[in-house]
Amino acid sequence: MTQTFMPSFKSMDEIYDVQLEGLKWTVKHAYNGSPVYRKKLDEAGVGPDGIKSLDDLKKLPFTTAQDLQEGYPFPLLSVPFEKVVRIHASSGTTGKRKVLCYTQKDIEDWAHFFARCYEMAELTKEDRVQIAVGYGVWTAGVGFQLACEKFGAMAIPAGPGNLDMQCQFLVDFQSTVMCCTASMGLLMAEEINRRGLRDKINLKKMIFGSERSSDAMRKRIKELLGLEHMFDIPGMTELYGPGTGLDCVHHTGIHYWADYYILEILDPETLEEVPEGQTGEMVVTTLCKEAVPLIRYRTRDLSRLVPGQCPCGSIFPRHDRILGRSDDMIIFRAVNIYPGQIDHVLSGIEGIGSEYQIILDRAPDGKDYMTVKVERDQGVESSRDKKLQEKIAAEIKKQIMVSANVEIVDYGSLPRSERKSKRVFDNRE
Ligand code: ZN
């Protein structure tokens, strides 16, 4: 029998059993191991044996990025130091860096479920994986690397950047898979074409980490390289690192490893569960993480659960790509809206560019109005504006259930920035 990293579960009920056992263990372990968790749990009135069913998850207190920052440098540590074998840290773009400790078992668990990602992407031991992500204190490089070796494919630890070397490796080593950010994927695709290397390489798949890839970007990469598949790999340092799930070859959403963590999708305002299929904040609870277990950790990332069964038959549930950050949420006429949702609507419409702005105003009668400014795409005639306007307004109404005024502006007229562009202008008091 071929080696598999997939569990033998046949039903969600079996996964729920694992989740209940894992949740009981996690609460007890965190309570006994970490004074910070003990205090939080005591305040919530949950003792070390307070979990009787999965519904008890709702009794548990939330953990936030602030908890991690306040405990700097080794926050929420729940094992003695002698059990810690490694640390990783987030890049620390907001405030202090988040540092996470790992035990040997944490490292092994991570490599095991990350190896699943390669299996989900239908790699074999014959594959040669060019790992063009950052190595260092962050989790990316070493995560991709260990899991690739565990899976049994050949790892090429190239690191990021250095297009010259990347191209050379693709030609000389005949890499079949490349792991990188989507922006790097696009740079590579353009470079390979510019150098006329497409017939000299053997690249079949790309796995994109860490950054949201727009549909337009993916389409262009696929065309330029003639790839079979592109996958999105989610992951954050707090939750081991990359590899916590992967979309399968049907690309209907990201199958996530529900036997290692519980994913809740909550309304970031009320912290209540949203109906299945609706967008909300991803809140995660780990089931066997030793050094720094997470109890209802608010990731601030937005996504939604994908209802129904995937054609691939995998038992693992799916979540959508990351649709943005909950800090960016707008409340408009009592509807929660995320800029990522507007992004998503616009990316499905031909004839417009990728830049847009959302402007919110309050009229003297107290009513709120939303204007969405969108650039006409390069080479598109302004005579199409009216049709585009109607189409965009109709799609926003259909997909987000709000009415917006749409304005089409000239290509290149909205400001661009190397960093994240400001897209939301809220002029309501
Ligand atoms: Zn699937």
Side-chain angles (χ1 to χ4, degrees):
M1 208 189 101
T2 47
Q3 188 189 16
T4 179
F5 295 91
M6 297 293 172
S8 56
F9 308 133
K10 294 280 176 287
S11 70
M12 262 324 273
D13 282 340
E14 285 175 83
I15 294 186
Y16 292 142
D17 289 343
V18 172
Q19 289 186 339
L20 178 57
E21 285 316 303
L23 187 61
K24 283 180 182 171
W25 178 85
T26 296
V27 168
K28 190 175 206 149
H29 173 73
Y31 190 96
N32 293 329
S34 154
V36 178
Y37 269 132
R38 189 178 318 135
K39 185 162 173 281
K40 284 170 84 79
L41 288 163
D42 276 338
E43 278 165 10
V46 185
D49 297 307
I51 301 296
K52 304 288 178 224
S53 76
L54 279 179
D55 282 340
D56 292 335
L57 179 65
K58 295 189 177 67
K59 294 186 196 160
L60 296 174
F62 290 97
T63 311
T64 63
Q66 204 188 339
D67 291 313
L68 292 175
Q69 276 153 5
E70 280 171 1
Y72 187 87
F74 304 118
L76 304 177
L77 186 63
S78 303
V79 296
F81 254 108
E82 63 190 42
K83 290 203 74 185
V84 176
V85 300
R86 193 197 288 174
I87 63 159
H88 280 295
S90 68
S91 51
T93 42
T94 49
K96 252 190 232 162
R97 241 173 243 291
K98 292 172 208 147
V99 182
L100 280 297
C101 294
Y102 296 69
T103 66
Q104 188 61 48
K105 181 176 180 291
D106 292 338
I107 300 281
E108 280 160 18
D109 285 347
W110 181 24
H112 180 87
F113 69 65
F114 197 143
R116 260 185 206 170
C117 296
Y118 292 125
E119 188 173 339
M120 191 58 106
E122 300 188 353
L123 267 63
T124 71
K125 293 186 178 198
E126 300 291 315
D127 274 296
R128 299 169 182 190
V129 185
Q130 190 159 324
I131 302 170
V133 300
Y135 282 77
V137 77
W138 34 87
T139 46
V142 70
F144 279 93
Q145 175 85 24
L146 275 186
C148 180
E149 291 168 4
K150 187 160 190 107
F151 179 77
M154 184 177 98
I156 304 163
N162 202 342
L163 295 191
D164 248 350
M165 186 187 73
Q166 304 287 356
C167 287
Q168 198 186 349
F169 285 1
L170 286 177
V171 173
D172 292 354
F173 303 149
Q174 293 289 290
S175 317
T176 53
V177 180
M178 188 154 178
C179 307
C180 54
T181 61
S183 334
M184 167 122 177
L186 184 57
L187 278 176
M188 283 302 300
E190 283 169 344
E191 193 62 19
I192 287 161
N193 271 265
R194 205 174 58 77
R195 299 184 184 204
L197 296 177
R198 189 162 151 183
D199 296 335
K200 299 194 175 73
I201 64 170
N202 193 25
L203 196 59
K204 307 236 184 317
K205 294 169 185 173
M206 275 188 167
I207 300 176
F208 298 133
S210 76
E211 158 206 55
R212 239 157 25 103
S213 56
S214 75
D215 292 337
M217 210 174 188
R218 298 164 69 85
K219 202 170 141 220
R220 176 128 177 92
I221 298 171
K222 198 166 183 190
E223 279 166 6
L224 283 172
L225 293 176
L227 296 177
E228 288 168 9
H229 288 287
M230 292 175 299
F231 303 93
D232 272 314
I233 198 160
M236 67 188 109
T237 309
E238 300 93 307
L239 186 60
Y240 297 91
T244 48
L246 196 84
D247 47 335
C248 67
V249 296
H250 296 278
H251 306 294
T252 58
I254 292 161
H255 289 282
Y256 68 91
W257 314 138
D259 52 344
Y260 282 90
Y261 66 101
I262 296 173
L263 172 64
E264 298 174 89
I265 305 283
L266 306 182
D267 182 316
E269 286 288 300
T270 64
L271 296 174
E272 296 290 328
E273 205 169 0
V274 301
E276 192 184 40
Q278 282 189 21
T279 302
E281 181 175 330
M282 300 171 85
V283 174
V284 294
T285 301
T286 56
L287 299 170
C288 57
K289 200 163 177 274
E290 291 183 336
V292 185
L294 295 179
I295 295 177
R296 303 192 90 190
Y297 179 69
R298 294 189 59 185
T299 67
R300 304 282 167 182
D301 283 332
L302 299 167
S303 190
R304 60 182 199 101
L305 292 175
V306 179
Q309 263 282 321
C310 181
C312 76
S314 168
I315 185 71
F316 284 113
R318 290 163 294 162
H319 66 73
D320 207 337
R321 280 190 245 164
I322 310 298
L323 303 168
R325 304 275 300 163
S326 65
D327 312 314
D328 302 334
M329 184 177 81
I330 305 160
I331 303 178
F332 174 72
R333 296 192 184 176
V335 180
N336 296 352
I337 301 172
Y338 310 102
Q341 289 175 288
I342 302 277
D343 203 8
H344 184 75
V345 169
L346 297 178
S347 71
I349 295 171
E350 297 271 355
I352 55 175
S354 57
E355 293 300 317
Y356 66 92
Q357 286 183 350
I358 301 166
I359 299 140
L360 299 162
D361 290 298
R362 181 159 293 159
D365 63 1
K367 251 186 155 182
D368 289 352
Y369 292 90
M370 186 194 311
T371 305
V372 179
K373 274 193 192 178
V374 187
E375 283 186 4
R376 197 182 305 118
D377 208 354
Q378 228 169 349
V380 171
E381 297 287 330
S382 59
S383 57
R384 280 185 60 191
D385 284 1
K386 190 152 189 315
K387 280 240 152 59
L388 282 172
Q389 249 167 352
E390 287 167 1
K391 171 89 182 152
I392 295 165
E395 283 301 314
I396 290 175
K397 179 93 198 163
K398 190 173 129 199
Q399 296 187 37
I400 313 178
M401 287 172 286
V402 294
S403 297
N405 312 311
V406 178
E407 253 180 61
I408 307 287
V409 298
D410 288 342
Y411 180 80
S413 65
L414 294 178
R416 280 144 172 78
S417 144
E418 298 235 331
R419 295 164 62 84
K420 218 172 113 190
S421 305
K422 180 167 166 65
R423 300 195 183 283
V424 180
F425 296 85
D426 195 342
N427 305 324
R428 303 171 297 179
E429 295 178 281

